[in-house]
Amino acid sequence: MTVVKSTIPESARQVTGEALQSTLVDLLGLSLIGKQAHWNIVGPRFRSIHLQLDEVVASAREFADTVAERSSALGLPPDGRPETIASAFTLPGPKDGWVRDTDVVELIVEALEAAIVRLRERIEATEKPDPVTQDLLITITAELEKQRWMFAAENVSRDD
């Protein structure tokens, strides 16, 4: 079997690979959280949040593909197998059954926030080893922060 060779040193590749794999797990998990909430949301804002969840899912899936391809380009096979995601995933997830629209918003804000915190740590970790990967992580963080802001604005009341 031919192995893809990386253009960056092994120590840098190792740090970068860990950042990419962890990001892949978070993104695939985020897409699953979004779909689960999408299917089970109830409440007066069902339609708008239902559609907004699709935007989060689409972004997470697109970025997951980009992250996996970056990993492959560095000679690091990405691992998106269900058992890998299930064992490594730590973002907050929805409860079983129907979920109120306000609870969905809180959940997505919390999940996005946790993912963003970890992405910022990975941005710092990849600064020297691989600025190209760092740039990708910055782009992902910017989009997830935008999504978080849009969801957080959903639960603001007149009194806040």
Side-chain angles (χ1 to χ4, degrees):
M1 169 189 309
T2 305
V3 176
V4 177
K5 299 292 180 187
S6 177
T7 58
I8 63 175
E10 183 57 32
S11 61
R13 192 173 81 109
Q14 202 166 18
V15 169
T16 302
E18 289 171 13
L20 289 168
Q21 181 60 39
S22 297
T23 301
L24 180 62
V25 167
D26 282 354
L27 291 169
L28 291 174
L30 189 57
S31 74
L32 294 171
I33 289 171
K35 268 304 175 190
Q36 183 68 20
H38 171 88
W39 296 322
N40 290 288
I41 185 172
V42 294
R45 295 179 297 156
F46 163 81
R47 181 158 172 72
S48 63
I49 296 171
H50 179 81
L51 295 173
Q52 193 175 358
L53 286 164
D54 274 340
E55 293 175 26
V56 171
V57 170
S59 292
R61 287 179 177 170
E62 184 177 332
F63 282 133
D65 190 52
T66 302
V67 164
E69 289 174 353
R70 177 69 186 149
S71 185
S72 293
L74 295 175
L76 301 160
D79 189 353
R81 295 173 299 154
E83 60 270 22
T84 300
I85 304 308
S87 69
F89 187 70
T90 59
L91 294 179
K95 63 180 180 147
D96 188 26
W98 305 117
V99 185
R100 299 272 329 152
D101 52 4
T102 53
D103 294 337
V104 167
V105 169
E106 287 177 19
L107 167 69
I108 297 301
V109 168
E110 288 175 24
L112 287 167
E113 193 169 298
I116 290 163
V117 166
R118 290 203 286 264
L119 274 162
R120 288 188 168 278
E121 292 168 358
R122 295 173 197 138
I123 288 167
E124 189 175 319
T126 56
E127 180 181 10
K128 296 227 186 287
D130 186 21
V132 175
T133 295
Q134 182 193 43
D135 185 54
L136 172 60
L137 299 177
I138 290 169
T139 299
I140 294 167
T141 302
E143 178 60 26
L144 294 187
E145 286 178 337
K146 180 177 129 185
Q147 294 284 348
R148 185 196 169 283
W149 157 62
M150 291 180 165
F151 271 95
E154 287 280 346
N155 277 354
V156 174
S157 68
R158 289 184 179 165
D159 298 333
D160 288 341

